[in-house]
């Protein structure tokens, strides 16, 4: 948060929030951050009879006979309790149970947002260990796991240990193990980057509470020598023989050293872990550390030292904090959601060391991979690439769930604590990715069919950074051979600057120097000689216009599909493609957008690209093409012709052509459901249709929406992703004799990749 006392010196935070904004967010609308949603309908008396009495008796009796069935008939298997007594709320100290509730609601929100784990916060108003343990130990039947949070040391150690012994579900103190796992992941990478050997690395940890003791234990388990790890607390260094302010957990990590203060301990140290309070580390202390010092200032909400202060003292340092507004966020949010996801999915009886180490290693390795663009965006304009400013994945990295949770699940299976082992971990990883993003689910089946039937796809704008990245991703995803149109040296320079070498299996074609140019020009001349084009015009077009060159490749069978659009306007790209690729005879060429939402599933919208005011014939053609596309995507089409009016009310001129289109289809016959004209709510809500228009021919919610004109279609497709959480893919060009796609100029790497995959799929299913 902005703080009036912050130094006026350079401030490199990537985002800023004020105290007022934070309070307003929490107070806005329904206060707090959580609500409970139903997963079953409770609308009719029948619903009530099924979900409640008498129906509910059945699962009760079944569970009574076989307790395992609780996982099948209740929310237990995906439900975690976040429990605190508020004795160590972040680094704010003992604020009590009630004041800890915003943090606990926050942890529940993170569970849901990042790993689709449902949870509830339980804030226990007691500091008594026995009372706490007794309050929690009987809650097992309701939950798949217990996440303890912000309970101060040393009580937290006793509470966790006793609950682990008493309960048969995972009990995990996040501040201990979540923090240690994430810090260990960051440390693995920082040690790697600074060329250190963990066995010779000297670590000083400020704080000797929940988080610190767990970090000390984990780094020692990973190979750090006990004599090289010094802990400090409010009384200074925890040295062997000290008696003041000690407990058995601190004693276990006491070292033989002459250092008595944090400053003395840090003299020549390689690594600092701060798990104490704001401002505990000074620039002077940092200056005394070894070359290329590693500083993890993890106190929340304010770190032991800010990155700006640390860098001012030691420009060669690697600095991380617990906050999201600086690079390198070492925070347990990267751990607990994914660790519980993996543990719940194999019904682990506990979360053991093997699972923790697997989580730390998978986090560390993920940071070394190329960063997806939506995550790079979270870097606020800074390129995220493995290095001192990026040692740990970003919390918004969508790959976390499909990397960390399977690693944890596997470790649980290998170490014998999984009560329901998973047979196919790769499939599990794919399912997890779907779980967070409905688009992934909709595209996965298509992607799999492309992997089975790979294609050659030409990326016409092969010198563009995002196109190169998409082409590499295309290749790595196993979709086939990407063909980049561009100059080899230029593409090599760009990929080197990106730090991602071009893998084998990517082809580059320079349109100016290609051996095929004459053949393409002859093809084009044969096609266009009666449209005013001389041979030399065709040769020049092939040489100079990458879209024409790429389209000729596809039209002559040298490639299967073309993807373009990032450097030229839609109409210019379309013009280039149309030089070489014709519509399928008798078919309408139009743009199809795919809306993917969790709530409504997949809905196709057309025409979002070509016809400004389609007449009845064109609308009928668009409907036919869209229905065919829906089937290729695995949907049984229910086509609605949309308008502002429904079945003649109110009347107007536009509904006339729509009604005519419906009539044309009815007269000529169609092998799919269609109806209209109707308004969007009537199309998407079968209940509304049943009550007001029982004669309608659609048997379910419409999944293909034929728009009355380009203006309405365009507005819908552009506003949906900005107003809702749904994703819009496309517009995809439909109706051409060869697969060709134009992405919007602002398309990112993932969008280009998705469209390339769809283009390959269209080529394979033509
Ligand atoms: N980034 C992350 O993911 C996480 C960060 N944290 C942060 O770590 C900190 C500690 O949390 P946690 O371990 O749960 O709390 P605990 O209450 O269990 O431990 C706090 C420890 O900090 C020590 N301490 C307090 N002030 C100082 C000081 N000025 N100098 C040295 N040591 C000091 C205390 O010393 P003594 O024993 O003498 O009282 C105690 O050992 C908090 O700031 C918290 O936000 C915690 C979990 C996760
Ligand atoms: C992040 C966290 O759990 C803490 O600071 O306590
Ligand atoms: Mg905490």
């Amino acid at each position: 948060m902005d703080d009036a006392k912050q130094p006026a010196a350079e401030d490199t935070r990537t985002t800023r929030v004020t105290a007022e904004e934070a309070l307003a967010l929490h107070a806005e609308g329904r206060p707090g951050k959580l609500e409970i949603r139903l997963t079953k309908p409770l609308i009719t008396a029948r619903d009530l009879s099924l979900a409640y009495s008498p129906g509910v008796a059945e699962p009760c009796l079944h569970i009574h006979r076989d307790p395992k069935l609780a996982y099948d008939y209740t929310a237990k298997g995906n439900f975690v309790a976040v429990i605190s007594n508020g004795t160590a709320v972040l680094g704010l100290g003992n604020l009590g149970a009630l004041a800890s509730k915003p943090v606990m609601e926050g942890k529940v929100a993170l569970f849901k947002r990042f790993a689709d784990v449902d949870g509830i916060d339980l804030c226990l108003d007691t500091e008594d260990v026995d009372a706490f343990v007794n309050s929690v130990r009987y809650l097992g039947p309701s939950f798949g796991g217990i996440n303890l949070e912000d309970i101060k040391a040393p009580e937290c150690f006793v509470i966790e240990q006793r609950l682990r012994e008493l309960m048969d579900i995972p009990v995990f103190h996040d501040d201990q193990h979540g923090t240690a796992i994430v810090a260990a992941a960051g440390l693995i990478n920082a040690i790697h980057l600074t060329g250190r050997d963990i066995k010779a690395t000297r670590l000083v940890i400020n704080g000797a509470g929940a988080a610190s003791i767990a970090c000390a234990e984990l780094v020692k388990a990973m190979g750090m020598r006990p004599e090289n790890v010094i802990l400090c607390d409010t009384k200074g260094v925890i040295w062997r023989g000290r008696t003041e302010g000690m407990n058995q957990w601190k004693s276990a990590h006491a070292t033989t050293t002459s250092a008595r203060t944090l400053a003395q301990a840090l003299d020549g140290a390689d690594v600092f872990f701060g798990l104490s309070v704001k401002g505990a580390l000074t620039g002077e202390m940092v200056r005394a550390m070894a070359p290329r010092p590693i500083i993890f200032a993890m106190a929340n909400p304010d770190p032991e030292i800010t990155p700006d202060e640390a860098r001012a003292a030691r420009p060669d340092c690697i600095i991380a904090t617990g906050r999201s507004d600086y690079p390198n966020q070492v925070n347990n949010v990267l751990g607990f959601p994914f660790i519980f996801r993996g543990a719940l999915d194999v019904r682990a009886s506990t979360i053991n060391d093997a699972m923790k180490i697997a989580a730390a290693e998978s986090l560390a390795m993920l940071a070394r991979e190329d960063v997806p663009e939506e995550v790079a965006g979270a870097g606020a304009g800074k390129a995220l690439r493995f290095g001192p400013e990026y040692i740990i994945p970003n919390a918004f990295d969508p790959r976390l769930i499909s990397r960390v949770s399977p690693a944890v699940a596997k470790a649980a299976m290998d170490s014998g604590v999984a009560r329901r082992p998973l047979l196919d971990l790769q499939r599990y990883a794919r399912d997890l990715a779907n779980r967070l993003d409905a688009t992934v689910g909709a595209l996965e089946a298509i992607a799999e069919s492309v992997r089975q039937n790979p294609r050659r796809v030409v990326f016409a704008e092969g010198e563009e950074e995002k196109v190169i990245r998409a082409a590499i991703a295309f290749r790595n995803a196993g979709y086939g051979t990407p063909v980049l149109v561009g100059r080899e040296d230029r593409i090599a320079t760009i990929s080197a600057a990106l730090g991602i070498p071009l893998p084998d299996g990517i082809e580059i074609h320079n349109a100016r120097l290609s051996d095929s140019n004459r053949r393409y020009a002859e093809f084009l001349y044969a096609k266009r000689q009666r449209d005013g084009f001389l041979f030399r015009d065709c040769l020049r077009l092939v040489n100079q216009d990458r879209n024409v060159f790429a389209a000729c490749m596809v039209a002559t069978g040298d490639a299967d599909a073309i993807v373009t659009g990032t450097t030229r306007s839609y109409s210019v790209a379309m013009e280039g493609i149309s030089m070489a690729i014709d519509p399928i005879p008798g078919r309408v060429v139009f743009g199809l957008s795919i809306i993917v939402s969790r709530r409504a599933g997949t809905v196709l919208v057309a025409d979002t690209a070509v016809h400004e005011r389609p007449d009845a014939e064109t609308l009928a053609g668009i409907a036919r093409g869209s229905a065919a596309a829906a089937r290729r995507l695995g949907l049984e089409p229910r086509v609605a012709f949309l308008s502002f009016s429904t079945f003649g009310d109110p009347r107007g001129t536009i509904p006339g052509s729509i009604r005519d289109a419906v009539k044309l289809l009815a007269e000529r016959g169609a092998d799919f459901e269609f109806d209209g004209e109707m308004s969007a709510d009537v199309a998407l809500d079968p209940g509304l249709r049943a009550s007001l228009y029982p004669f309608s021919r659609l048997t379910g919610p419409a999944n293909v929406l034929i728009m009355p004109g380009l203006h309405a279609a365009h507005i819908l497709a552009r506003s949906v992703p900005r107003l809702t959480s749904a994703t819009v893919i496309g517009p995809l060009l439909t109706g051409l004799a060869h697969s060709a796609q134009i992405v919007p100029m602002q398309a990112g790497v993932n969008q280009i990749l998705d469209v390339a995959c769809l283009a390959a799929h269209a080529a394979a299913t033509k």
Side-chain angles (χ1 to χ4, degrees), residues 116-133:
D116 196 21
V117 170
D118 296 306
I120 187 81
D121 61 296
L122 300 175
C123 300
L124 299 186
D125 195 8
T126 178
E127 293 186 21
D128 181 85
V129 169
D130 290 329
F132 192 105
V133 169

Side-chain angles (χ1 to χ4, degrees), residues 80-319:
V80 167
V82 174
I83 307 183
S84 181
N85 61 1
T87 48
V89 181
L90 309 176
L92 303 171
N94 187 345
L95 302 186
L98 184 60
S100 76
K101 188 164 164 63
V103 173
M104 302 315 132
E105 286 189 0
K107 295 278 175 180
V108 173
L110 299 175
F111 263 123
K112 185 69 185 171
R113 164 64 181 83
F114 291 116
D116 196 21
V117 170
D118 296 306
I120 187 81
D121 61 296
L122 300 175
C123 300
L124 299 186
D125 195 8
T126 178
E127 293 186 21
D128 181 85
V129 169
D130 290 329
F132 192 105
V133 169
N134 284 329
S135 304
V136 177
R137 64 178 291 191
Y138 300 110
L139 295 175
S142 277
F143 299 103
I146 302 287
N147 185 70
L148 301 173
E149 190 68 45
D150 289 2
I151 305 166
K152 80 176 178 65
E155 294 84 343
C156 64
F157 303 122
V158 183
I159 288 172
E160 189 197 41
Q161 185 54 37
R162 282 181 49 192
L163 288 174
R164 281 168 70 97
E165 286 161 11
L166 289 167
M167 301 182 82
D168 70 345
I169 52 176
V171 176
F172 179 88
H173 184 199
D174 177 38
D175 297 285
Q176 292 183 56
H177 315 298
T179 315
I181 288 164
V182 180
L187 185 66
I188 291 170
N189 281 343
I191 282 183
H192 174 84
L193 283 168
T194 53
R196 288 182 160 94
D197 176 358
I198 193 165
K199 293 199 178 69
T201 300
R202 286 182 51 211
L203 165 69
V204 175
I205 304 180
N206 199 44
S212 309
I213 298 280
C215 283
E217 276 167 9
L218 192 60
V219 295
K220 287 179 187 177
M222 285 164 49
M224 208 173 257
R225 291 209 172 98
E227 64 271 26
N228 284 345
V229 180
I230 297 182
L231 269 69
C232 300
D233 61 9
T234 52
K235 311 276 181 300
V237 169
I238 296 180
W239 48 276
R240 198 175 293 276
R242 195 184 102 172
T243 51
E244 194 191 2
M246 293 295 281
N247 58 44
Q248 69 182 87
W249 294 274
K250 290 182 185 179
S251 297
H253 294 281
T255 32
T256 306
T257 170
S258 58
R260 292 292 177 266
T261 64
L262 175 63
Q264 289 166 356
L266 277 170
D267 192 9
D270 298 292
V271 186
F272 169 84
F273 274 10
L275 291 153
S276 52
V277 287
K278 172 184 181 177
L281 185 67
T282 64
E284 202 177 328
M285 294 179 195
V286 171
R287 271 192 287 277
M289 291 179 73
R292 301 196 74 189
I294 299 165
I295 301 165
F296 290 2
M298 294 176 273
N300 284 316
D302 297 299
E304 282 77 2
I305 189 168
T306 69
D308 302 321
E309 291 162 346
R311 272 194 225 97
R314 284 296 293 269
D316 62 338
C317 72
I318 291 182
I319 168 87

Side-chain angles (χ1 to χ4, degrees), residues 93 181 202 229 297 318 338 414 429 468 470 476 549 556 577 601 604 686 691:
I181 288 164
R202 286 182 51 211
V229 180
I318 291 182
F338 314 108
D414 293 348
I468 295 172
N476 291 344
F549 177 87
T556 58
I577 290 171
L604 308 187
S691 64

Side-chain angles (χ1 to χ4, degrees), residues 626-692:
S626 302
R631 288 216 170 102
R632 282 200 298 275
L633 292 169
L635 298 173
E636 191 46 39
R638 287 185 297 274
V639 177
F641 287 82
L642 295 195
S643 172
F644 60 86
S645 74
T646 303
F647 298 123
D649 177 36
R651 292 198 178 277
T653 49
I654 293 174
S657 58
I658 302 169
R659 294 164 76 91
D660 290 345
V662 175
K663 220 190 288 170
L664 277 179
L665 281 184
E667 281 164 14
R668 293 176 191 169
D671 64 349
F672 53 88
E673 285 182 26
F674 62 92
D675 214 342
E677 87 287 0
M678 62 180 77
S679 62
D681 51 349
V682 174
L684 295 168
D685 183 348
L688 188 57
R689 241 180 6 246
S691 64
L692 293 178

